[in-house]
Amino acid sequence: MAVNLSKGQKVDLTKSNPGLVKVNVGLGWDTNKYDGGSAFDLDASAFCLNANGKVNSDRDFMFYNNKTGANGGIVLSGDNQTGEGAGDDETMSINLSLIPADIQKIAFCITIHDAAARNQNFGQVANSYVRIFTESGEELIRYDLGEDFSIETAVVVGELYRYNSDWKFSAVGGGYRDGLGGLCRDFGVQV
């Protein structure tokens, strides 16, 4: 049975699931009715962060043009440009045993592509979530954002982080007004 989290809550991932090495991260969303003339294109991304909360290099930023990172420990499924249909819109496969020791945290984000040019924001997006599930499909952790981000164009939905020798998950739900550029600046990616 999955653990459902609220913003700010943290939960153990590997301590309560001994031997768990491979997990998947599913991110999903729906767009509200919108008559702005442009289709929505939301994108999932991941930032592998060191103890200072920064990437070691730009290779530690995984997105639709860099689908594999963290020593092969993270692989993105691809870029779903419509978000249509039920279930996960984009996924990431994670092998925790391959994540380099200097990576302390993996931040999972959703951004709106060309949000400023299209006059779009997360106030026009509904049912956003992140979930952690096993290779067999068993959902372990779920965080439904359920918040109204009226002007934000990017959201850090959650983080996997090391705690001693275990991995834990934190439901973040932090919005950014300046989209992917703001995330990149905060996490040390050269833009």
Side-chain angles (χ1 to χ4, degrees):
M1 176 182 264
V3 175
N4 290 308
L5 299 178
S6 298
K7 183 176 181 172
Q9 287 186 305
K10 298 175 167 95
V11 67
D12 170 68
L13 178 64
T14 56
K15 190 174 186 179
S16 57
N17 296 288
L20 184 67
V21 175
K22 294 181 180 179
V23 294
N24 295 294
V25 176
L27 299 124
W29 53 80
D30 295 315
T31 55
N32 298 328
K33 292 284 184 196
Y34 171 72
D35 60 4
S38 297
F40 272 83
D41 178 10
L42 278 71
D43 298 308
S45 57
F47 294 84
C48 294
L49 308 172
N50 59 31
N52 297 320
K54 305 289 184 190
V55 297
N56 292 320
S57 76
D58 289 354
R59 291 185 317 272
D60 289 336
F61 167 43
M62 277 73 49
F63 65 111
Y64 55 84
N65 278 336
N66 180 34
K67 295 180 185 170
T68 304
N71 200 34
I74 301 175
V75 179
L76 275 66
S77 63
D79 185 13
N80 176 343
Q81 296 187 345
T82 66
E84 301 260 332
D88 301 330
D89 291 305
E90 295 185 17
T91 60
M92 300 177 202
S93 300
I94 300 179
N95 184 329
L96 298 170
S97 68
L98 296 178
I99 306 297
D102 61 345
I103 300 300
Q104 296 299 304
K105 185 186 298 182
I106 306 165
F108 302 105
C109 307
I110 303 173
T111 58
I112 301 174
H113 183 70
D114 283 338
R118 296 176 181 188
N119 198 28
Q120 297 172 342
N121 60 58
F122 269 93
Q124 300 157 322
V125 176
N127 305 319
S128 298
Y129 69 86
V130 60
R131 69 187 191 106
I132 309 288
F133 60 100
T134 64
E135 288 184 296
S136 65
E138 177 190 358
E139 187 172 276
L140 302 173
I141 300 169
R142 184 179 185 95
Y143 169 45
D144 294 296
L145 270 69
E147 297 181 28
D148 184 15
F149 296 100
S150 59
I151 57 174
E152 291 82 354
T153 57
V155 178
V156 177
V157 292
E159 298 172 337
L160 272 177
Y161 66 97
R162 291 183 199 265
Y163 183 77
N164 297 326
S165 61
D166 293 309
W167 285 92
K168 294 185 173 227
F169 181 82
S170 175
V172 177
Y176 279 72
R177 290 183 183 185
D178 48 355
L180 184 58
L183 290 169
C184 288
R185 278 190 302 280
D186 279 5
F187 294 140
V189 175
Q190 301 300 312
V191 287

